[in-house]
Amino acid sequence: MAWHQVTHTFPSRSKGSYLVTHEVERAVESELKKFKIGMCNIFLQHTSASLCLNENVCREVREDLTMALDHIAPETLRYKHTDEGPDDMPGHVKSAIMGVSLDIPIRDGKLALGTWQGIYLSEHRTYQHRRTVVITLQGEKSGK
């Protein structure tokens, strides 16, 4: 069983959902291609952003996701935790609902995503933040 782990920091982004599949793949590219079979775990080290898998072609899906999350956890609720501004607690709620970790199978040196699947980073705070993930590859390397 082989392991490989890297930390990757995404560029600063403001509120929205962003397709980051290629950024994740580039962060582990040289090692990923050595794995025959395994799992890739992507863990986001933050509490007001999240990760998910979703539609990788249509930009409107990302816009609609952000809109729907704003409806589920609006800034207008009477939150008690307001120290960091009105967007902070809704960000925590959205992160708790969506999650901060993904497990994606590795097959023949590539992430085994479905045809229409992409990795999303959703930033739930209004202003730009840099977000960091720990990407861990685990599995059997090919004999090449």
Side-chain angles (χ1 to χ4, degrees), residues 22-140:
H22 296 303
E23 290 177 69
V24 170
E25 290 171 332
R26 278 193 302 275
V28 293
E29 186 175 29
S30 63
E31 283 298 316
L32 179 61
K33 64 185 177 185
K34 297 177 185 176
F35 283 83
K36 178 180 177 184
I37 189 170
M39 292 297 293
C40 172
N41 175 267
I42 308 162
F43 177 75
L44 180 65
Q45 297 180 303
H46 302 278
T47 61
S48 56
S50 59
L51 296 171
C52 73
L53 293 178
N54 219 309
E55 162 75 46
N56 66 0
V57 176
C58 185
R59 175 178 208 78
E60 288 85 1
V61 173
R62 296 189 294 277
E63 294 168 359
D64 288 345
L65 179 62
T66 300
M67 178 195 61
L69 289 169
D70 284 344
H71 181 75
I72 292 166
E75 289 184 17
T76 56
L77 291 180
R78 302 182 90 199
Y79 298 105
K80 294 179 182 179
H81 173 73
T82 59
D83 295 347
E84 296 179 51
D87 64 338
D88 189 42
M89 191 59 215
H92 294 314
V93 172
K94 294 168 189 176
S95 179
I97 290 170
M98 292 187 58
V100 295
S101 183
L102 295 174
D103 288 314
I104 302 170
I106 299 168
R107 182 186 316 127
D108 297 325
K110 296 179 181 173
L111 298 179
L113 293 166
T115 302
W116 306 111
Q117 286 183 319
I119 301 168
Y120 282 22
L121 169 67
S122 291
E123 173 58 62
H124 305 305
R125 300 294 305 272
T126 302
Y127 300 105
Q128 291 188 353
H129 288 80
R130 289 170 44 113
R131 301 302 188 178
T132 300
V133 290
V134 177
I135 306 169
T136 304
L137 307 178
Q138 169 194 0
E140 179 184 324

